[in-house]
Amino acid sequence: MSAYEEEIEIGGALRRRLGLNRRQFLAATTGITAAAAVTAVGGPASAVRAATGPNGVLIPPPRRGIILYTVRDAISRDPNSTPLPSGFRRVFEELGRIGYQQVEFAGYGQHANSEGGASLESVAGARVLRGWLDDNGLRAQGNHGFIPGSWPFTQPDLDRFKQHLEIANILGMDHMGTGNDPTGSAYKADWDKAAEKWNALGAIASDAGIKLYTHNHDVAYSFLLDSGPLDALGRPTRSSGIRRLEYFLTISDPKVVYLEMDIFWAHVAQYKHRTYTAPDGSVQTDVFDPLSVVRPNTKRFPLFHAKDGKSNTATGNGYDMVPFGTGDIDYAAFFRGVGAKGSHNPMYEQDNAPGGTADPARSLQYAALSYTNMAALRG
């Protein structure tokens, strides 16, 4: 048995010794209380240290999450063709066994042969999913789901958006969002329109008791074209030095529009988007600091994608995606610096976790390794 598999077994053994089911165990044992219980039955010192580090754990147990996109291969594979966990219900069981307490959805589809059928994107499907989440001590915290593309909205788009809010409430989510940037444009006018749309959507979501969030890729932290000579279509060709998503923060309503920083892509932006052409034509250098965006707006970043990267300057992005805790991004420094400790929800993500037919168990193995590293992260 590997080290991380041994860690996974600790919780199950403890629950059996205490005579508790998983929900009772999770309600009774968090933080230092969990560490004391592990000590009482002779659990390994590493588990105690993770819960009672000298400066406290940086990601408390109830906040340790995973976006299901990371294990999409397991959710989508045919349960009749493999003994590995397949479909939402069995994957939830495995994630709960590992120790995760939060998930972020990436849609509601699974293999047609899985329990519940191919799609659970409905009110009835949400009730089924909620039961499986509850059974395994998991809480849904968000979803990369449907956001209307049009502005002003078409009625069918608006109706579908409201249905997703209803699904979110059934699942118990505090947040609902998307995996895309507010707009892919570089131009200020398009970001102004995007803010209008998101302010309107955010107000609708707020009325439903949900915080609406958008998600970044690296290009969202490139520089806004907002000044200088105009091109043939009347668009600006130079920048005042403000980054696109930083501008969006200033023009969107902080009461109803929230953000999920993908920390990996923010570091890619730090590597890639370092210069801009100023209004006077000079080339200026400005190295991006992800914390400088989060720190003054910390309550607007309720979720993070905790995606790790190993430095590789031979690639265009400057990093290769790797399991959490095995890369070069300084997550201890990041989570020490974000402020509002204990209020953020980091979701482990790794786009390349699925191993395909050559290594079909890999994404869940990476999920276990990443959970162990997330639990060990201390200030």
Side-chain angles (χ1 to χ4, degrees):
M1 181 181 291
S2 69
Y4 67 80
E5 288 172 330
E6 182 179 358
E7 293 288 342
I8 293 167
E9 291 300 318
I10 295 167
L14 176 57
R15 291 196 302 274
R16 289 190 291 273
R17 293 193 192 194
L18 296 178
L20 301 175
N21 64 32
R22 178 169 174 77
R23 251 184 293 185
Q24 292 168 328
F25 177 82
L26 290 172
T29 58
T30 57
I32 294 174
T33 305
V38 172
T39 304
V41 297
S46 61
V48 179
R49 287 197 302 271
T52 61
N55 297 310
V57 293
L58 286 171
I59 305 174
R63 301 286 180 177
R64 297 171 193 159
I66 181 172
I67 180 168
L68 298 176
Y69 181 73
T70 300
V71 292
R72 62 195 180 278
D73 59 324
I75 291 169
S76 64
R77 64 186 161 218
D78 185 351
N80 297 334
S81 66
T82 176
L84 295 169
S86 307
F88 281 116
R89 185 172 190 173
R90 300 308 172 199
V91 170
F92 289 167
E93 290 174 357
E94 184 67 9
L95 295 176
R97 187 180 76 87
I98 289 169
Y100 287 102
Q101 294 188 37
Q102 296 199 120
V103 298
E104 182 181 20
F105 281 85
Y108 302 110
Q110 61 177 358
H111 195 280
N113 289 335
S114 295
E115 187 174 351
S119 177
L120 293 166
E121 187 182 308
S122 65
V123 168
R127 294 193 178 109
V128 172
L129 287 168
R130 177 63 184 268
W132 295 342
L133 290 166
D134 290 347
D135 287 344
N136 292 286
L138 295 169
R139 180 179 181 183
Q141 193 56 260
N143 178 39
H144 283 194
F146 175 74
I147 298 294
S150 61
W151 173 247
F153 310 125
T154 65
Q155 193 60 48
D157 276 358
L158 191 56
D159 290 343
R160 187 180 175 195
F161 178 69
K162 290 180 178 179
Q163 183 192 39
H164 272 248
L165 290 171
E166 183 179 6
I167 289 171
N169 273 315
I170 293 170
L171 289 170
M173 294 180 190
D174 289 334
H175 312 90
M176 191 181 85
T178 174
N180 297 317
D181 299 313
T183 174
S185 173
Y187 300 108
K188 177 181 177 295
D190 292 328
W191 282 88
D192 290 337
K193 291 178 184 176
E196 289 178 14
K197 181 177 88 169
W198 276 81
N199 286 343
L201 288 173
I204 295 168
S206 181
D207 287 344
I210 300 290
K211 294 179 179 179
L212 187 70
Y213 66 92
T214 181
H215 173 276
N216 70 272
H217 294 91
D218 68 281
V219 70
Y221 288 114
S222 63
F223 295 97
L224 188 73
L225 294 179
D226 60 351
S227 59
L230 304 182
D231 65 13
L233 297 177
R235 300 172 302 189
T237 59
R238 295 175 185 172
S239 178
S240 64
I242 189 171
R243 296 174 188 271
R244 302 181 193 184
L245 208 54
E246 289 180 292
Y247 178 65
F248 182 77
L249 275 165
T250 68
I251 59 173
S252 56
D253 186 344
K255 297 188 296 295
V256 297
V257 179
Y258 298 85
L259 295 91
E260 174 184 64
M261 177 179 277
D262 187 305
I263 300 167
F264 173 88
W265 289 118
H267 280 76
V268 170
Q270 184 181 68
Y271 174 79
K272 288 175 62 174
H273 306 300
R274 303 168 70 92
T275 63
Y276 64 94
T277 303
D280 63 3
S282 63
V283 176
Q284 302 292 322
T285 298
D286 179 15
V287 179
F288 179 55
D289 175 12
L291 267 177
S292 70
V293 175
V294 176
R295 194 179 289 116
N297 302 284
T298 186
K299 291 299 183 70
R300 294 193 71 181
F301 286 89
L303 294 94
F304 293 111
H305 273 186
K307 181 189 299 178
D308 212 343
K310 185 170 286 292
S311 180
N312 181 1
T313 56
T315 70
N317 288 330
Y319 292 92
D320 295 324
M321 292 181 195
V322 295
F324 184 87
T326 67
D328 297 318
I329 295 175
D330 191 346
Y331 270 96
F334 184 87
F335 285 119
R336 280 198 305 267
V338 294
K341 183 181 176 184
S343 67
H344 301 288
N345 301 283
M347 302 290 170
Y348 159 60
E349 183 182 37
Q350 188 176 344
D351 299 3
N352 59 358
T357 55
D359 191 3
R362 190 174 78 176
S363 67
L364 285 168
Q365 290 170 349
Y366 280 1
L369 172 61
S370 295
Y371 179 85
T372 297
N373 292 336
M374 187 179 285
L377 196 64
R378 300 188 299 275

